[in-house]
Amino acid sequence: MTALVIVSVPLATIAARAQQGQSQLQLDEIVVEGAGTSQVPPAFAGGQVATGARLGLLGNTDIQKSPFSVTSYTDQFIRDRQARTASEALALDPSVRATQGTGAPFDSFYIRGFPANEGTSGEIAFDGVYGVAPSFRIFSDYAERIEVLKGPSAAITGVSPNGGIGGVINIVPKRAEEDLTRVTLNYASNARPGGQLDFARRFGANREWGLRVITSLSDGRTALDHQSEQSGVGALALDYQGERFRAWAYFLAQADRFNAPARPFFMQAGVPVPKAPDGRRNVTQPWEYSDVDDRGGLLRMEYDIADGITLFGNAGASHTGVERYFASAATITNLRGDTVTAPQFYALGVDRQTFEGGVRAKFETGFIRHALTVQLSRYHEETSREFAAARGSYASNIYNPVRVPEIAPLRIGSQARLSDSTLTGVSAADTLSAFDERVLLTVGVRRQNVEARNYVSNVGTLASSYDKSATTPFVGLVVRPWENVSFYGNYVEGLSRGDIAPVTASNAGEILAPYVARQVEAGVKLDYSGFGASLAAFQITRPIGELSPARTFAESGEQRVRGLELNVFGQITSQWRVLGGLTLLDGELTRTAAAANIGNTPIGVPRIQLNLGTEWDVPWVPGLTLNAAVIHTGKQFVDAANSQALSDWTRLDLGLRYATQFNGRKTTFRANVVNVTDAKYWAGAASFGTFTQGAPRTYLLSMSADL
């Protein structure tokens, strides 16, 4: 089979550059179709987002034909932002807010007002599969796309291992497309250099074999006081693209080591939250540290047994090892910003395995076309932990941190089993389309079983367990009266593991039954001459576990979030691009053990989230592009009583890049400044009431060359 190369360039761009007298045309996106393709949807006009994304068992779906809200950020956008992690890459998504800072050893999020990736299981998918990506932090080196599917999606993607229901973040790994040898050198303030090698080749008579290798290393002092970080990534992707059989294999190794990692804060009850300090200030001591190592692999296979019928299977596994010595969160005790910190030694091991298999079939019944998928899945996870008591504490201040002598950690010396869980499911979905895909109806159902056990900390004896099943349906409708306008709506349910009763509860260690969340959503999507927009209204309700006045932990609460989302992306003109949007949230505790809290706003849910990014190609300097982004987040509460709040904040980012050629080699220089005005702000709150300070002004420089 001969590979077909399709190059898509807007005619307006060609004409504009011809008028400028440019003898060479820079191609922003090349899509290779045929043997050896990456099988990802092509980029939308402007190259920042894609025209489609993966919708769980529905596979890659055109965004205009999807009954759900989804955004897929491209590798080009990630590199231009110089985003090192998934958290940084999602900075311009108006539905997403990071609840950990850039100097923290893990990433967590709020999506549509609900937490995601807050625990140790890790609930970021890798090529649509849980249990392969690193548990705590996702580096962007190996990401071809970073996708965000918004809303509960257990029926589509399976139960999230950590229980998140606001949305799913999926990493689409880089695979061999066209031959590539790219070297990147980068530098970040204060003194943190690094480099990356990205190598891809295709082999065979029909280029049916593919190899891609990515490796990176960075080390040095960060923008936070007395903090240093060393990180390394190694990723390997192999694939075979035959006439009927296709296979992909991925192997991933990642290490991330911090000295003085940034930590969130607790607020002492009854004390208002003080003003945020300078983002450089770091209460964590230089002798506190975090070392995280991840290893993972995934094998995917497909076989066409007949035209329109494909068998598929996936098998993956990963291991996360953690050793750290710090306090989970320092406590701020007064408005002066005084803190008390009690560091504890913590070692964790997480082993995960995942298996999927099924069949996809395309067929017709009369004038209706069907795309049917039936899938079986199994996810298993085992966690062991050593969690020693604190030997002592130290006092400091968020505005004027002090250094103290090292407090030697207590050690237990071994890791005891902490928890294990097995998630199994069978699902079926069918997309029915008619009238040249002007009407698409998607229906599906998933039968999910959640088996979980929790063990006594540092002992390993069984504390509690459950084995529960639930059925979660979904239905989505898309109506496209015109080629560039889509109206859509959906009803979808999400299933998540129940919370574990905290140590302060009379039933400490007990695992609550799985929660079922429900979403209703309706919206409209526009694709007009390279400019895209979407407007969605949604409501999500979810039960929550609470500690009653009698100290019993039970499913006694319910949280409801209603929202309105506006997203814009693409080209205004051939030289001007936009990306971002506005999300308005109305969060409410509709049921709670404390009657006084009914009607209050849930922790970490602001009323407004605004993101707007723009790029402009300077017409009189070919290859030079300026960019800017404004990010705004409204007030957030850090307690259910709504007596403690984080002030609203606004951040400005600026940057530029220059694309040129040296000896025929494409070379790009990039410079970005995050938080140009050095604003002081509390970035966000996690669901358990901790909050994080925002990043200081940070300088990012890089140079990449395609050899």
Side-chain angles (χ1 to χ4, degrees):
M1 180 185 299
T2 302
L4 172 65
V5 178
I6 301 177
V7 178
S8 176
V9 181
L11 292 178
T13 301
I14 297 175
R17 294 184 179 177
Q19 292 175 0
Q20 296 168 16
Q22 296 184 30
S23 60
Q24 294 180 335
L25 180 65
Q26 179 180 336
L27 304 180
D28 294 324
E29 185 73 17
I30 298 179
V31 180
V32 182
E33 297 185 352
T37 71
S38 67
Q39 298 189 346
V40 294
F44 192 79
Q48 297 179 309
V49 298
T51 58
R54 185 183 183 91
L55 299 181
L57 79 162
L58 301 179
N60 285 331
T61 304
D62 189 299
I63 289 176
Q64 295 297 317
K65 300 175 183 177
S66 163
F68 303 98
S69 178
V70 60
T71 306
S72 178
Y73 297 94
T74 66
D75 170 56
Q76 180 66 46
F77 168 75
I78 296 168
R79 288 187 288 118
D80 288 343
R81 284 280 302 179
Q82 299 188 75
R84 293 181 56 242
T85 65
S87 177
E88 294 173 11
L90 298 177
L92 293 187
D93 194 304
S95 302
V96 180
R97 281 299 181 268
T99 57
Q100 292 289 335
T102 57
F106 62 89
D107 290 334
S108 57
F109 310 87
Y110 260 53
I111 306 175
R112 283 191 168 178
F114 291 89
N117 208 52
E118 283 191 344
T120 60
S121 296
E123 53 187 344
I124 294 180
F126 185 89
D127 211 20
V129 177
Y130 291 122
V132 177
S135 293
F136 293 96
R137 247 178 146 207
I138 305 293
F139 288 113
S140 63
D141 304 71
Y142 42 84
E144 182 69 32
R145 302 279 164 79
I146 298 181
E147 303 172 336
V148 185
L149 172 60
K150 298 159 188 176
S153 58
I156 306 170
T157 63
V159 172
S160 175
N162 214 43
I165 56 93
V168 175
I169 298 172
N170 178 50
I171 305 300
V172 179
K174 292 179 179 178
R175 295 166 264 209
E177 300 177 35
E178 71 273 13
D179 291 350
L180 174 70
T181 303
R182 175 176 294 150
V183 175
T184 301
L185 301 176
N186 52 64
Y187 180 88
S189 55
N190 285 340
R192 192 166 185 271
Q196 182 199 74
L197 172 64
D198 189 349
F199 176 87
R201 291 291 186 274
R202 298 212 66 84
F203 307 95
N206 297 313
R207 295 172 61 83
E208 63 269 26
W209 295 95
L211 166 70
R212 190 157 188 175
V213 179
I214 300 166
T215 181
S216 70
L217 178 66
S218 59
D219 188 12
R221 293 186 295 113
T222 74
L224 275 67
D225 291 343
H226 56 261
Q227 183 185 88
S228 62
E229 181 192 5
Q230 181 183 74
S231 59
V233 169
L236 170 66
L238 305 170
D239 71 272
Y240 173 78
Q241 307 294 305
E243 290 289 343
R244 288 190 174 272
F245 177 73
R246 297 168 296 280
W248 300 264
Y250 307 100
F251 303 93
L252 178 65
Q254 178 177 299
D256 195 19
R257 313 202 185 291
F258 273 100
N259 288 329
R263 306 302 305 133
F265 295 96
F266 273 121
M267 198 68 226
Q268 185 165 304
V271 179
V273 179
K275 292 182 179 180
D278 186 322
R280 296 173 183 79
R281 301 296 173 253
N282 187 8
V283 172
T284 310
Q285 299 296 315
W287 42 264
E288 296 180 77
Y289 67 92
S290 169
D291 295 343
V292 182
D293 292 285
D294 286 279
R295 305 288 185 272
L298 175 66
L299 174 64
R300 304 185 66 103
M301 294 180 289
E302 294 181 350
Y303 181 71
D304 301 331
I305 60 175
D307 290 344
I309 302 178
T310 301
L311 296 176
F312 65 90
N314 311 317
S318 67
H319 171 78
T320 298
V322 179
E323 182 177 305
R324 70 190 196 195
Y325 181 47
F326 57 64
S328 294
T331 299
I332 302 176
T333 60
N334 52 45
L335 276 173
R336 296 188 301 273
D338 292 331
T339 62
V340 176
T341 305
Q344 295 173 274
F345 181 84
Y346 178 103
L348 180 75
V350 184
D351 290 283
R352 301 174 290 170
Q353 302 89 40
T354 183
F355 302 94
E356 292 180 348
V359 59
R360 291 189 291 265
K362 294 183 178 181
F363 57 93
E364 297 181 3
T365 56
F367 67 95
I368 297 177
R369 296 179 179 179
H370 297 260
L372 174 67
T373 302
V374 178
Q375 177 179 287
L376 301 173
S377 64
R378 182 181 188 274
Y379 171 94
H380 180 73
E381 174 188 299
E382 296 181 359
T383 301
S384 58
R385 187 182 71 176
E386 174 188 351
F387 190 35
R391 171 169 276 171
S393 63
Y394 62 87
S396 189
N397 184 277
I398 61 174
Y399 306 112
N400 186 27
V402 297
R403 294 193 182 187
V404 300
E406 180 176 356
I407 302 172
L410 289 174
R411 291 290 306 270
I412 296 173
S414 62
Q415 296 182 23
R417 176 170 289 194
L418 180 66
S419 65
D420 61 64
S421 60
T422 303
L423 312 176
T424 56
V426 56
S427 53
D430 188 13
T431 298
L432 302 84
S433 61
F435 310 113
D436 195 25
E437 296 191 324
R438 292 303 179 99
V439 178
L440 301 99
L441 175 65
T442 301
V443 293
V445 65
R446 183 180 184 93
R447 180 64 176 176
Q448 183 79 52
N449 180 260
V450 180
E451 182 181 356
R453 299 179 184 88
N454 190 48
Y455 301 87
V456 177
S457 179
N458 294 325
V459 177
T461 57
L462 184 66
S464 63
S465 65
Y466 67 71
D467 188 348
K468 302 288 185 180
S469 297
T471 300
T472 51
F474 68 91
V475 59
L477 177 65
V478 178
V479 178
R480 303 169 59 232
W482 305 282
E483 185 66 29
N484 58 349
V485 177
S486 300
F487 295 94
Y488 76 97
N490 66 66
Y491 171 79
V492 61
E493 294 185 359
L495 186 69
S496 61
R497 293 189 307 184
D499 293 325
I500 299 174
V503 294
T504 54
S506 60
N507 57 335
E510 180 181 340
I511 308 177
L512 303 185
Y515 300 144
V516 177
R518 295 174 174 84
Q519 173 181 274
V520 178
E521 179 180 3
V524 59
K525 302 175 183 179
L526 171 70
D527 178 358
Y528 182 76
S529 298
F531 173 77
S534 66
L535 180 65
F538 65 88
Q539 174 179 289
I540 303 174
T541 57
R542 177 189 185 268
I544 54 177
E546 290 185 313
L547 195 64
S548 71
R551 312 306 295 174
T552 301
F553 191 76
E555 182 192 315
S556 57
E558 182 183 73
Q559 175 178 333
R560 182 187 68 203
V561 176
R562 292 170 173 165
L564 190 66
E565 288 176 346
L566 171 66
N567 289 273
V568 293
F569 50 91
Q571 297 186 154
I572 303 296
T573 70
S574 61
Q575 296 172 328
W576 181 22
R577 296 169 291 280
V578 295
L579 177 64
L582 172 70
T583 297
L584 302 176
L585 298 172
D586 179 17
E588 183 178 348
L589 296 174
T590 54
R591 184 162 46 92
T592 177
N597 293 340
I598 294 178
N600 284 356
T601 302
I603 293 173
V605 181
R607 289 195 173 274
I608 182 171
Q609 298 177 170
L610 171 66
N611 306 60
L612 184 58
T614 184
E615 290 189 346
W616 181 56
D617 299 330
V618 180
W620 52 87
V621 184
L624 180 62
T625 300
L626 307 180
N627 66 74
V630 174
I631 303 171
H632 174 79
T633 301
K635 182 175 71 172
Q636 303 170 68
F637 292 104
V638 298
D639 66 328
N642 288 181
S643 62
Q644 298 169 314
L646 310 179
S647 299
D648 62 329
W649 58 270
T650 303
R651 190 183 90 193
L652 172 65
D653 300 341
L654 295 176
L656 59 85
R657 67 178 180 272
Y658 178 64
T660 186
Q661 290 191 359
F662 290 112
N663 297 323
R665 305 296 186 182
K666 180 180 177 181
T667 304
T668 304
F669 299 90
R670 297 178 176 90
N672 290 284
V673 184
V674 178
N675 191 5
V676 172
T677 62
D678 206 18
K680 302 174 180 61
Y681 62 97
W682 296 115
S687 64
F688 29 83
T690 61
F691 52 97
T692 308
Q693 65 193 66
R697 182 190 297 121
T698 305
Y699 300 95
L700 304 172
L701 301 172
S702 72
M703 180 195 74
S704 64
D706 293 353
L707 305 180

mmCIF file of all heavy atoms in Angstrom, residues 297-311:
data_model
loop_
_atom_site.group_PDB
_atom_site.id
_atom_site.type_symbol
_atom_site.label_atom_id
_atom_site.label_comp_id
_atom_site.label_asym_id
_atom_site.label_seq_id
_atom_site.Cartn_x
_atom_site.Cartn_y
_atom_site.Cartn_z
ATOM 1 N N GLY A 297 2.906 0.312 30.233
ATOM 2 C CA GLY A 297 2.912 -0.223 28.881
ATOM 3 C C GLY A 297 1.506 -0.560 28.429
ATOM 4 O O GLY A 297 0.621 -0.847 29.251
ATOM 5 N N LEU A 298 1.290 -0.500 27.124
ATOM 6 C CA LEU A 298 -0.031 -0.781 26.547
ATOM 7 C C LEU A 298 0.143 -1.447 25.197
ATOM 8 O O LEU A 298 0.958 -1.014 24.381
ATOM 9 C CB LEU A 298 -0.833 0.512 26.386
ATOM 10 C CG LEU A 298 -2.197 0.405 25.684
ATOM 11 C CD1 LEU A 298 -3.166 -0.429 26.525
ATOM 12 C CD2 LEU A 298 -2.787 1.782 25.400
ATOM 13 N N LEU A 299 -0.617 -2.510 24.960
ATOM 14 C CA LEU A 299 -0.659 -3.190 23.668
ATOM 15 C C LEU A 299 -2.087 -3.125 23.148
ATOM 16 O O LEU A 299 -3.035 -3.541 23.834
ATOM 17 C CB LEU A 299 -0.223 -4.651 23.807
ATOM 18 C CG LEU A 299 -0.353 -5.514 22.541
ATOM 19 C CD1 LEU A 299 0.566 -4.994 21.435
ATOM 20 C CD2 LEU A 299 -0.060 -6.981 22.856
ATOM 21 N N ARG A 300 -2.240 -2.607 21.916
ATOM 22 C CA ARG A 300 -3.547 -2.522 21.269
ATOM 23 C C ARG A 300 -3.496 -3.305 19.970
ATOM 24 O O ARG A 300 -2.508 -3.228 19.229
ATOM 25 C CB ARG A 300 -3.923 -1.076 20.958
ATOM 26 C CG ARG A 300 -3.932 -0.128 22.129
ATOM 27 C CD ARG A 300 -4.426 1.241 21.704
ATOM 28 N NE ARG A 300 -5.819 1.169 21.314
ATOM 29 C CZ ARG A 300 -6.840 1.588 22.064
ATOM 30 N NH1 ARG A 300 -6.606 2.108 23.249
ATOM 31 N NH2 ARG A 300 -8.072 1.487 21.645
ATOM 32 N N MET A 301 -4.562 -4.040 19.670
ATOM 33 C CA MET A 301 -4.627 -4.821 18.439
ATOM 34 C C MET A 301 -6.017 -4.722 17.826
ATOM 35 O O MET A 301 -7.018 -4.656 18.541
ATOM 36 C CB MET A 301 -4.277 -6.284 18.713
ATOM 37 C CG MET A 301 -2.842 -6.521 19.148
ATOM 38 S SD MET A 301 -2.478 -8.264 19.473
ATOM 39 C CE MET A 301 -3.414 -8.495 20.988
ATOM 40 N N GLU A 302 -6.051 -4.728 16.483
ATOM 41 C CA GLU A 302 -7.306 -4.725 15.738
ATOM 42 C C GLU A 302 -7.188 -5.702 14.573
ATOM 43 O O GLU A 302 -6.127 -5.812 13.954
ATOM 44 C CB GLU A 302 -7.605 -3.333 15.176
ATOM 45 C CG GLU A 302 -7.883 -2.262 16.208
ATOM 46 C CD GLU A 302 -8.192 -0.918 15.562
ATOM 47 O OE1 GLU A 302 -8.001 -0.790 14.326
ATOM 48 O OE2 GLU A 302 -8.621 -0.010 16.289
ATOM 49 N N TYR A 303 -8.294 -6.381 14.273
ATOM 50 C CA TYR A 303 -8.307 -7.296 13.132
ATOM 51 C C TYR A 303 -9.658 -7.200 12.441
ATOM 52 O O TYR A 303 -10.712 -7.360 13.074
ATOM 53 C CB TYR A 303 -8.055 -8.731 13.571
ATOM 54 C CG TYR A 303 -8.030 -9.703 12.408
ATOM 55 C CD1 TYR A 303 -6.972 -9.708 11.500
ATOM 56 C CD2 TYR A 303 -9.086 -10.597 12.214
ATOM 57 C CE1 TYR A 303 -6.953 -10.583 10.428
ATOM 58 C CE2 TYR A 303 -9.076 -11.476 11.143
ATOM 59 C CZ TYR A 303 -8.006 -11.458 10.252
ATOM 60 O OH TYR A 303 -7.997 -12.323 9.175
ATOM 61 N N ASP A 304 -9.636 -6.913 11.143
ATOM 62 C CA ASP A 304 -10.856 -6.822 10.345
ATOM 63 C C ASP A 304 -11.224 -8.222 9.874
ATOM 64 O O ASP A 304 -10.596 -8.772 8.954
ATOM 65 C CB ASP A 304 -10.653 -5.903 9.145
ATOM 66 C CG ASP A 304 -10.261 -4.490 9.547
ATOM 67 O OD1 ASP A 304 -10.666 -4.065 10.642
ATOM 68 O OD2 ASP A 304 -9.557 -3.827 8.763
ATOM 69 N N ILE A 305 -12.233 -8.815 10.502
ATOM 70 C CA ILE A 305 -12.629 -10.163 10.096
ATOM 71 C C ILE A 305 -13.481 -10.135 8.833
ATOM 72 O O ILE A 305 -13.621 -11.146 8.144
ATOM 73 C CB ILE A 305 -13.373 -10.880 11.233
ATOM 74 C CG1 ILE A 305 -14.646 -10.113 11.619
ATOM 75 C CG2 ILE A 305 -12.472 -11.058 12.439
ATOM 76 C CD1 ILE A 305 -15.493 -10.845 12.667
ATOM 77 N N ALA A 306 -14.043 -8.988 8.527
ATOM 78 C CA ALA A 306 -14.812 -8.787 7.298
ATOM 79 C C ALA A 306 -14.958 -7.293 7.106
ATOM 80 O O ALA A 306 -14.668 -6.501 8.005
ATOM 81 C CB ALA A 306 -16.178 -9.465 7.388
ATOM 82 N N ASP A 307 -15.395 -6.892 5.930
ATOM 83 C CA ASP A 307 -15.616 -5.471 5.690
ATOM 84 C C ASP A 307 -16.657 -4.945 6.673
ATOM 85 O O ASP A 307 -17.779 -5.463 6.747
ATOM 86 C CB ASP A 307 -16.096 -5.246 4.257
ATOM 87 C CG ASP A 307 -15.003 -5.517 3.235
ATOM 88 O OD1 ASP A 307 -13.823 -5.572 3.648
ATOM 89 O OD2 ASP A 307 -15.324 -5.707 2.045
ATOM 90 N N GLY A 308 -16.273 -3.965 7.451
ATOM 91 C CA GLY A 308 -17.191 -3.358 8.398
ATOM 92 C C GLY A 308 -17.257 -4.031 9.745
ATOM 93 O O GLY A 308 -18.006 -3.575 10.615
ATOM 94 N N ILE A 309 -16.478 -5.103 9.972
ATOM 95 C CA ILE A 309 -16.488 -5.793 11.267
ATOM 96 C C ILE A 309 -15.048 -5.923 11.755
ATOM 97 O O ILE A 309 -14.207 -6.517 11.076
ATOM 98 C CB ILE A 309 -17.143 -7.180 11.184
ATOM 99 C CG1 ILE A 309 -18.580 -7.063 10.658
ATOM 100 C CG2 ILE A 309 -17.140 -7.847 12.563
ATOM 101 C CD1 ILE A 309 -19.268 -8.400 10.498
ATOM 102 N N THR A 310 -14.775 -5.388 12.931
ATOM 103 C CA THR A 310 -13.416 -5.363 13.477
ATOM 104 C C THR A 310 -13.420 -5.886 14.903
ATOM 105 O O THR A 310 -14.209 -5.431 15.736
ATOM 106 C CB THR A 310 -12.849 -3.935 13.468
ATOM 107 O OG1 THR A 310 -12.827 -3.437 12.123
ATOM 108 C CG2 THR A 310 -11.439 -3.908 14.047
ATOM 109 N N LEU A 311 -12.532 -6.841 15.162
ATOM 110 C CA LEU A 311 -12.274 -7.284 16.526
ATOM 111 C C LEU A 311 -11.135 -6.453 17.105
ATOM 112 O O LEU A 311 -10.184 -6.124 16.395
ATOM 113 C CB LEU A 311 -11.892 -8.761 16.552
ATOM 114 C CG LEU A 311 -12.945 -9.776 16.096
ATOM 115 C CD1 LEU A 311 -12.346 -11.177 16.101
ATOM 116 C CD2 LEU A 311 -14.184 -9.715 16.976
#
